[in-house]
């Protein structure tokens, strides 16, 4: 079974631009979560989608948004990029079995904002 | 509220000696606990998980962890370190009251000295 895939793997943008990142979960997984990883703040939760609905959201500004499609694929969008948005963005998918919510992570998208 | 404290930001061991990475958690409800490993420029890989079954959990690559509710700890151990164990390790707590959100510790960087 294929793992979680994320595209693109690397992105370079300039301040003020917007960016869209894509995540394809493991087949059959309906929950997709997004995390931001930076050296200063570590791994922080952005949001979770389940069956096309945002179930949970972290403490990020409204410039960060996401969505999930009927095939469970998910995208996240960051508008009006700032230098501080430079980070590794990780996507994770989960099967959501009662009592076990293990998340499977993709390789990440490395975003650099100049 | 859920949180995780990884007590050591850096641990250095000699090859062939035991590894101990410490983690304390805080959770209002019965938690799920995980250890993930991240090699440089890679995504996160699950080492092991505790989901209210056996308190001593065995994972991949010879790692294990013991859930101690009275001490709110979930320390990661390995009897004998290998050079390939050098990586960043993250302790994670989650519970079903917050959907599928993972709360990450700040990470422990493990160095293995030949």
């Amino acid at each position: 079974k294929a793992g979680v895939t994320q595209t693109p793997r690397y992105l370079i943008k300039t301040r003020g631009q917007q960016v869209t990142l894509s995540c394809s979960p493991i087949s059959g997984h309906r929950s997709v979560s997004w995390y931001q990883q930076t050296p200063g703040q570590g791994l922080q939760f952005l949001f979770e989608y389940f069956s096309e609905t945002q179930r949970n959201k972290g403490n990020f500004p409204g410039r960060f948004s996401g969505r999930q499609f009927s095939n469970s694929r998910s995208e996240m969008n960051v508008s009006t990029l700032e230098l501080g948005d430079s980070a590794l963005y990780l996507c994770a998918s989960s099967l959501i079995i009662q009592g076990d919510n293990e998340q499977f992570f993709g390789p990440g998208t490395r975003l650099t904002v100049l | 509220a859920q949180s995780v404290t990884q007590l050591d930001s850096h641990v250095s061991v000699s090859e062939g000696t035991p590894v101990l990475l410490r983690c304390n958690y805080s959770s209002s409800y019965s938690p799920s606990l995980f250890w993930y490993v991240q090699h440089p420029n890679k995504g996160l890989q699950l080492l092991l998980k505790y989901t209210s079954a056996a308190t001593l959990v065995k994972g991949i690559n010879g790692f294990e962890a013991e859930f101690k509710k009275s001490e709110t700890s979930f320390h990661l151990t390995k009897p004998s370190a290998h050079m390939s164990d050098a990586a960043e390790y993250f302790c994670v707590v989650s519970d079903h009251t917050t959907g599928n959100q993972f709360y990450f510790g700040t990470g422990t960087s493990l160095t293995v000295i030949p």
Side-chain angles (χ1 to χ4, degrees):
Chain A
K1 188 180 271 192
V4 177
T5 58
Q6 292 187 245
T7 56
R9 291 293 310 278
Y10 301 91
L11 265 178
I12 299 175
K13 294 285 187 179
T14 57
R15 278 181 299 173
Q17 288 187 308
Q18 76 164 24
V19 67
T20 298
L21 312 181
S22 181
C23 171
S24 292
I26 292 171
S27 178
H29 288 195
R30 293 165 64 191
S31 169
V32 174
S33 299
W34 289 89
Y35 296 85
Q36 181 196 65
Q37 184 176 24
T38 59
Q41 299 298 317
L43 279 146
Q44 296 185 89
F45 173 76
L46 280 156
F47 26 66
E48 183 210 358
Y49 286 87
F50 182 82
S51 294
E52 302 178 64
T53 301
Q54 187 181 86
R55 262 204 321 191
N56 207 355
K57 189 177 192 310
N59 188 27
F60 278 82
R63 300 186 296 108
F64 291 81
S65 62
R67 59 177 175 169
Q68 186 180 33
F69 302 94
S70 58
N71 61 358
S72 294
R73 191 177 69 84
S74 177
E75 290 181 346
M76 68 163 281
N77 184 276
V78 188
S79 62
T80 320
L81 284 165
E82 300 177 359
L83 294 178
D85 297 333
S86 294
L88 180 67
Y89 290 88
L90 292 165
C91 167
S93 75
S94 183
L95 190 55
I96 306 290
I97 299 172
Q98 181 67 29
D100 184 350
N101 59 336
E102 175 184 348
Q103 294 187 20
F104 296 80
F105 286 83
T109 294
R110 173 76 62 184
L111 172 65
T112 302
V113 182
L114 303 175
Chain B
Q2 297 79 28
S3 67
V4 168
T5 301
Q6 291 185 244
L7 298 164
D8 307 292
S9 58
H10 299 280
V11 169
S12 189
V13 300
S14 297
E15 189 176 18
T17 64
V19 175
L20 170 63
L21 305 184
R22 298 181 295 166
C23 172
N24 286 107
Y25 70 91
S26 172
S27 177
S28 304
Y29 298 91
S30 182
S32 295
L33 292 158
F34 307 82
W35 276 98
Y36 282 83
V37 61
Q38 186 177 36
H39 292 276
N41 300 314
K42 301 280 188 179
L44 292 158
Q45 180 186 19
L46 179 71
L47 280 176
L48 49 79
K49 60 184 176 183
Y50 167 77
T51 53
S52 74
T55 56
L56 182 61
V57 182
K58 294 189 184 298
I60 63 171
N61 300 335
F63 284 95
E64 63 180 40
E66 186 171 5
F67 172 71
K68 292 186 176 181
K69 187 174 182 179
S70 60
E71 299 176 11
T72 61
S73 69
F74 191 57
H75 301 333
L76 181 71
T77 61
K78 182 173 180 177
S80 176
H82 191 272
M83 294 298 295
S84 61
D85 294 329
E88 190 85 14
Y89 291 79
F90 294 94
C91 183
V92 179
V93 67
S94 173
D95 71 56
H96 299 290
T97 61
T98 53
N100 208 29
Q101 182 172 345
F102 271 17
Y103 295 85
F104 283 83
T106 50
T108 298
S109 177
L110 176 65
T111 299
V112 182
I113 303 166

